[in-house]
Amino acid sequence: MTDRVLSGMRPTGALHLGHYHGALKNWVRLQSEMECFYFVADWHALTTHYQSREVIEKNVYEMVIDWLAAGLDPDKCTLFLQSRIPEHAELFTLLAMSTPISWLERVPTYKDQQEKLKEKDLTTYGFLGYPLLQAADILIYKAKHVPVGEDQASHVELTREAARRFNHLYGREPDFDALVQQCLSKLPKDIVKRFEKSRKQFQETGDTKALDGAMGYLQNATELTDKDRERLEGYFKGTGKAVLTEPHALLTEASKLPGLDGVKMSKSYNNTIDMREDKASIDAKVKRMQTDPARIKRTDAGNPDLCPVWQFHLVYSPESTRQWVKTECTRAGIGCLECKQPIIEAIIAEQQPMLERAAPFISNPRLVRDIVDAGTQRARSTAQDTMRDVREAMGLNY
Ligand code: ATP
Ligand code: MG
């Protein structure tokens, strides 16, 4: 089985270049490499839009069209709707029992967003808990990789802690020792001897070489099932069986793309360029985009490091253009409008194939619904498999 990938986006408006370059580009790349699950996070959208749910309804399928326009292929990845898979809520509830409130209170986005979105009352239980719901979203697919923007990294970290705590509390099956002996008996004697030696070394000294070596031969031992491997890994590390998998965040190079005003591009800050925006509007928006604040007159030399437009050159321009910008900006050889022109052209060129890919779905919305229905069915069956393991580990099978 290849590694699993999971990520989601909130259907709260049209997707913008921050979503595309911060996460979606990675989603498209990964769909050909691993087993990918991508979901419409409509419950997460409710955490900030519980008073304006019509926004969500309007954007659920629109957002999936943005994904398809970006190049996601429903034959290569699974696209689904969070609220149709109640198992996410079940795992969230079970994880909540053992998650300290302080873990959630110290997530940086909690205070940040409350301060930035002052017009909304975010002092709700749902808003505090949403990173834990996100942990459930990830853990229920046993995903190893989570392609997201930088603002989400702390949520993936919380997910790792939640998985670790769960495995620690419930990973030890009552007949664990006997099961481990059964797994070991499937392996050649000399391998078992080496395994036991490395295990002792790892547990006494924390030697990661011993760990890497042992994990290497577990991976290659064809006589073991995936469950056997999990058990032996738990036995080796002394942690019991890993019921849930610890994921890690996968960032792009533009993991925090600025908007027109230089702060993070975000629809709530009204500083976005959308993924499907008309040409005149792209032109107008880039032209009014903020530049190095110290460069007031055309004759002042600029500093690309202080200019949000430079971040766009890093995403859009080849080395030769970047060199030209660096040289000419820093000696006032070009004005800001000249510097912006190649970016306007590059964004328009990037969006052309997206508009073409979106067209058939816009004219036939049924296609989009069918894609999401089929994906939701596939995802739900995987989520149900994990919940069986989770209930068994927690002893809820009475
Ligand atoms: P917005 O900030 O526009 O309101 P959102 O926060 O509602 O969007 P999410 O669904 O939380 O959108 O984000 C979807 C993904 O896009 C996440 O992985 C997030 O990290 C990423 N992302 C959003 N904005 C940016 C940005 N400006 N730069 C890089 N990545 C971003
Ligand atoms: Mg966000």
Side-chain angles (χ1 to χ4, degrees):
M1 193 182 82
T2 64
D3 287 358
R4 290 227 183 98
V5 172
L6 176 116
S7 194
M9 289 192 189
R10 302 175 340 122
T12 49
L15 293 191
H16 52 66
L17 299 183
H19 295 124
Y20 180 65
H21 290 285
L24 195 46
K25 225 163 52 173
N26 254 348
W27 293 18
V28 176
R29 177 176 65 80
L30 290 163
Q31 68 177 343
S32 320
E33 297 170 12
M34 295 178 207
E35 190 186 1
C36 296
F37 292 87
Y38 300 128
F39 71 102
V40 177
D42 53 344
W43 280 343
H44 288 289
L46 279 171
T47 62
T48 53
H49 288 62
Y50 57 90
Q51 287 178 314
S52 45
R53 45 150 214 89
E54 64 290 346
V55 173
I56 301 170
E57 185 174 3
K58 192 169 137 264
N59 284 292
V60 166
Y61 295 105
E62 266 305 295
M63 185 170 73
V64 178
I65 294 180
D66 280 329
W67 291 353
L68 296 164
L72 285 187
D73 175 351
D75 289 330
K76 292 188 181 153
C77 62
T78 298
L79 307 180
F80 70 94
L81 186 52
Q82 181 187 34
S83 62
R84 298 257 181 87
I85 306 193
E87 285 77 8
H88 286 230
E90 182 183 357
L91 183 55
F92 170 58
T93 301
L94 295 177
L95 292 174
M97 303 308 167
S98 55
T99 300
I101 295 171
S102 61
W103 286 12
L104 291 162
E105 282 170 338
R106 69 165 194 243
V107 170
T109 47
Y110 178 59
K111 290 249 154 60
D112 268 18
Q113 294 286 90
Q114 281 185 339
E115 259 159 45
K116 283 182 185 143
L117 306 177
K118 278 229 164 67
E119 73 286 3
K120 291 185 171 153
D121 179 5
L122 296 182
T123 57
T124 59
Y125 174 58
F127 187 70
L128 175 67
Y130 101 84
L132 191 65
L133 176 58
Q134 203 174 321
D137 301 330
I138 298 168
L139 296 174
I140 208 163
Y141 297 97
K142 301 193 173 177
K144 276 204 183 148
H145 311 280
V146 186
V148 284
E150 192 186 85
D151 59 316
Q152 299 293 316
S154 60
H155 300 172
V156 179
E157 196 46 48
L158 177 90
T159 305
R160 295 169 59 79
E161 286 175 279
R164 227 174 286 147
R165 189 163 172 97
F166 185 95
N167 290 335
H168 178 74
L169 288 169
Y170 307 115
R172 203 159 263 289
E173 301 154 291
D175 45 357
F176 185 71
D177 294 328
L179 288 169
V180 164
Q181 288 314 314
Q182 255 176 40
C183 300
L184 288 174
S185 70
K186 294 184 188 176
L187 295 172
K189 285 223 164 64
D190 56 321
I191 294 279
V192 174
K193 234 187 203 158
R194 260 173 55 203
F195 185 82
E196 289 292 8
K197 206 172 137 208
S198 323
R199 173 174 175 262
K200 194 155 171 263
Q201 198 178 341
F202 174 72
Q203 294 199 352
E204 280 168 8
T205 65
D207 178 0
T208 52
K209 259 210 203 107
L211 177 68
D212 294 343
M215 292 309 114
Y217 56 73
L218 281 188
Q219 277 312 319
N220 295 326
T222 49
E223 49 281 74
L224 299 175
T225 64
D226 283 344
K227 275 229 158 77
D228 291 343
R229 284 195 194 94
E230 278 173 12
R231 265 186 204 113
L232 287 180
E233 186 175 336
Y235 170 65
F236 191 94
K237 295 182 182 164
T239 53
K241 181 167 93 93
V243 185
L244 299 176
T245 305
E246 284 181 42
H248 68 89
L250 261 184
L251 302 184
T252 67
E253 275 157 34
S255 61
K256 193 176 171 188
L257 192 73
L260 302 173
D261 53 357
V263 304
K264 189 193 130 186
M265 188 179 284
S266 165
K267 54 197 168 268
S268 21
Y269 310 152
N270 233 330
N271 63 0
T272 62
I273 300 174
D274 292 346
M275 274 179 55
R276 289 181 282 139
E277 177 118 21
D278 69 71
K279 288 182 189 169
S281 163
I282 293 173
D283 186 82
K285 282 184 171 181
V286 176
K287 281 185 176 151
R288 75 175 156 82
M289 195 170 159
Q290 242 176 54
T291 55
D292 173 1
R295 191 174 186 199
I296 297 159
K297 296 192 301 293
R298 165 71 176 75
T299 48
D300 295 335
N303 179 355
D305 291 332
L306 304 176
C307 178
V309 177
W310 176 245
Q311 295 304 314
F312 277 67
H313 278 293
L314 291 179
V315 170
Y316 283 102
S317 299
E319 188 48 37
S320 53
T321 310
R322 289 188 207 169
Q323 274 308 330
W324 168 75
V325 168
K326 267 224 144 129
T327 316
E328 298 302 327
C329 170
T330 48
R331 61 172 189 160
I334 53 171
C336 295
L337 281 180
E338 279 164 277
C339 166
K340 287 171 171 179
Q341 194 52 39
I343 290 172
I344 295 173
E345 284 159 25
I347 296 176
I348 292 174
E350 175 179 71
Q351 297 201 355
Q352 196 49 41
M354 294 190 191
L355 294 171
E356 283 162 25
R357 277 193 292 262
F361 298 109
I362 295 170
S363 57
N364 188 358
R366 189 71 248 165
L367 288 176
V368 186
R369 283 171 185 264
D370 288 346
I371 288 168
V372 173
D373 284 348
T376 302
Q377 250 182 42
R378 272 205 302 275
R380 187 160 190 205
S381 128
T382 304
Q384 285 173 333
D385 287 345
T386 303
M387 284 318 294
R388 262 191 292 279
D389 291 351
V390 164
R391 288 186 213 111
E392 184 189 296
M394 290 184 76
L396 295 175
N397 283 342
Y398 30 79

